[in-house]
Amino acid sequence: MASRTLSKQFARTYATKALKIGLIPGDGIGREVIPAGKQVLEALPSDLGLKFEFTELKAGFELFKQTGTALPDETVEVLQKSCDGALFGAVSSPTTKVEGYSSPIVALRKKLGLYANVRPVKSVEGIGRPVDMVIVRENTEDLYIKEEKLYEKDGQKVAEAIKRITERATTKIGAIALEIALQRQAIRELGGASLHSQPTLTVTHKSNVLSVSDGLFRETVRKLYDSNPAKYSGVQYKEQIVDSMVYRMFREPEIFDVVVAPNLYGDILSDGAAALVGSLGVVPSANVGDNFAIGEPCHGSAPDIEGKGIANPIATIRSTALMLEFMGHPEAASKIYAAVDANLKEDVIKTPDLGGKSSTQEVVADVIRRL
Ligand code: NAI
Ligand code: MG
């Protein structure tokens, strides 16, 4: 099996035992789509040699309302001590500030050192614009460190926020983005169809204006790329200023393979990229650290369709495959991707967000049949 360094790094820990997966449904349709991820894992062909054990874990706004805590210590402890990977559904957030509440997924990313947010965006052959890209967003710093202050000057309010870019965090995000570029190539070589014949890394920045902070981001990734030609020479290196990146992403999305970006640009680019492939219900993500990954659909708790059994499970199923990729099982991941693509391509068994009439469970059954 063509597995790259990233897989090996993860695979070491997971060699023979059953894989323990934490399931954190959260709120709303999180409770309807996380079981889909579990069902698909259980249905993987036995010749892949993978076994799973599941542990259901609590988090979310509902839980906060009942108990006063959104992320129990027990959830974090079980993930840290006895899980190999996890799936997170969605959490509702109140629109006005609620004393004592903060987002459990943000806290989890911090506690588990999940410094990369990985969001693949892929079209299905023959449907819409061709896209096959992945955005790798730095998840720990930049403007999102929330070091803000408000003061008055000459009788007028002034707000300031610190944008922090460090060489340490940028080296880590650059390294994982390069590994993902190599890993994607390895998955293509397992037979996955793709727009790309060669892996490409595009570094997004605004260093024409923010020459110090974004300059450090750009230079650090470049330095890392140059530091190991033996490993990275198969990857094409490109740089793109963020505003023209947005323009090009909508004009010619097919040219992008792996895009690496500081936190804020990555956030904006990844929601924009999701618009290229239609429903939020099909876009997966993963929160990734050095030895742990949490798969997470990009959508929220969707209170408007909660309890109706029509939530699209595909974002979660793809997030499950992504989690497996980071756990060092690209073969199982590519089987799931292929089954999902076949379902989407046939365009019959689909939930209402994609214009269909099928239920969540009908889509799950169809994907499982195609495994
Ligand atoms: P949302 O993603 O929950 O829903 C937006 C629209 O997309 C809704 O019309 C919904 O029905 C539809 N949709 C989303 N996922 C779908 C799926 N799998 N299948 C079919 N249709 C789907 O975003 P919204 O409405 O802005 O937020 C609702 C709640 O979710 C809020 O409390 C928000 O704070 C939270 N949220 C949580 C996120 C997370 O946990 N990572 C991310 C985004 C929002
Ligand atoms: Mg966002």
Side-chain angles (χ1 to χ4, degrees):
M1 186 166 65
S3 84
R4 316 272 345 172
T5 327
L6 183 68
S7 326
K8 282 189 207 134
Q9 174 191 340
F10 284 91
R12 217 179 15 218
T13 345
Y14 304 120
T16 48
K17 55 182 180 157
L19 301 170
K20 293 209 179 94
I21 308 295
L23 300 175
I24 313 158
D27 299 315
I29 63 165
R31 303 201 193 103
E32 298 167 46
V33 291
I34 289 304
K38 179 181 180 219
Q39 283 170 279
V40 166
L41 287 175
E42 285 171 331
L44 278 171
S46 59
D47 61 355
L48 289 168
L50 296 178
K51 280 211 173 102
F52 301 94
E53 276 169 25
F54 299 95
T55 316
E56 184 125 349
L57 299 167
K58 289 183 178 155
F61 189 57
E62 278 303 315
L63 183 75
F64 175 80
K65 287 194 285 187
Q66 288 160 14
T67 67
T69 168
L71 181 65
D73 290 341
E74 196 199 340
T75 295
V76 180
E77 267 174 46
V78 173
L79 289 172
Q80 279 171 333
K81 292 194 183 135
S82 56
C83 288
D84 298 309
L87 295 174
F88 184 93
V91 288
S92 301
S93 296
T95 41
T96 51
K97 192 165 169 49
V98 172
E99 211 40 56
Y101 179 76
S102 65
S103 163
I105 185 67
V106 174
L108 265 181
R109 286 173 187 151
K110 245 199 192 120
K111 291 191 170 171
L112 301 176
L114 308 177
Y115 56 85
N117 189 270
V118 179
R119 197 183 283 197
V121 177
K122 187 172 182 286
S123 59
V124 176
E125 202 193 324
I127 304 178
R129 282 297 289 266
V131 193
D132 186 4
M133 65 190 287
V134 54
I135 294 168
V136 182
R137 164 184 167 195
E138 202 288 323
N139 227 343
T140 66
E141 56 180 29
D142 194 9
L143 272 170
Y144 290 10
I145 54 175
K146 297 206 278 190
E147 288 184 27
E148 293 186 290
K149 66 177 176 189
L150 185 65
Y151 58 93
E152 281 202 12
K153 198 177 175 197
D154 307 327
Q156 301 280 303
K157 285 180 186 153
V158 181
E160 284 176 8
I162 290 178
K163 173 179 166 94
R164 181 173 298 126
I165 302 285
T166 65
E167 190 177 11
R168 179 185 298 271
T170 308
T171 302
K172 288 181 93 158
I173 201 73
I176 203 164
L178 282 160
E179 292 299 346
I180 288 169
L182 295 169
Q183 172 93 335
R184 276 162 66 81
Q185 187 64 21
I187 289 186
R188 282 169 205 149
E189 285 162 15
L190 286 171
S194 171
L195 295 171
H196 310 289
S197 52
Q198 192 196 356
T200 305
L201 178 73
T202 305
V203 182
T204 311
H205 63 91
K206 185 77 186 177
S207 64
N208 50 333
V209 178
L210 299 169
S211 57
V212 177
S213 53
D214 279 2
L216 180 64
F217 188 86
R218 187 174 69 86
E219 281 154 25
T220 303
V221 181
R222 167 98 230 183
K223 201 167 101 192
L224 175 73
Y225 174 78
D226 288 337
S227 71
N228 196 342
K231 191 168 174 192
Y232 300 137
S233 64
V235 180
Q236 242 183 11
Y237 178 91
K238 290 185 179 168
E239 292 172 354
Q240 185 78 53
I241 292 173
V242 64
D243 41 356
S244 61
M245 171 82 207
V246 171
Y247 182 75
R248 295 191 75 184
M249 197 171 80
F250 285 96
R251 296 280 296 204
E252 39 178 358
E254 64 278 2
I255 66 169
F256 295 106
D257 180 20
V258 179
V259 174
V260 66
N263 210 339
L264 172 66
Y265 309 148
D267 190 5
I268 297 168
L269 287 175
S270 49
D271 275 24
L276 292 167
V277 290
S279 172
L280 260 174
V282 300
V283 187
S285 77
N287 304 286
V288 185
D290 284 332
N291 40 41
F292 202 78
I294 300 183
E296 181 196 358
C298 287
H299 58 74
S301 58
D304 53 335
I305 57 165
E306 180 184 353
K308 296 186 175 157
I310 54 166
N312 193 336
I314 287 181
T316 297
I317 296 172
R318 284 178 159 166
S319 305
T320 306
L322 201 55
M323 174 195 76
L324 285 175
E325 248 184 78
F326 286 104
M327 290 168 65
H329 303 289
E331 206 161 41
S334 67
K335 281 225 157 50
I336 298 175
Y337 292 134
V340 167
D341 283 358
N343 162 277
L344 289 172
K345 200 170 171 188
E346 194 182 76
D347 202 28
V348 177
I349 315 266
K350 53 186 178 176
T351 45
D353 57 307
L354 295 177
K357 289 199 164 81
S358 307
S359 66
T360 306
Q361 275 309 312
E362 283 164 343
V363 174
V364 174
D366 187 62
V367 170
I368 287 177
R369 180 176 70 77
R370 294 168 192 275
L371 279 174

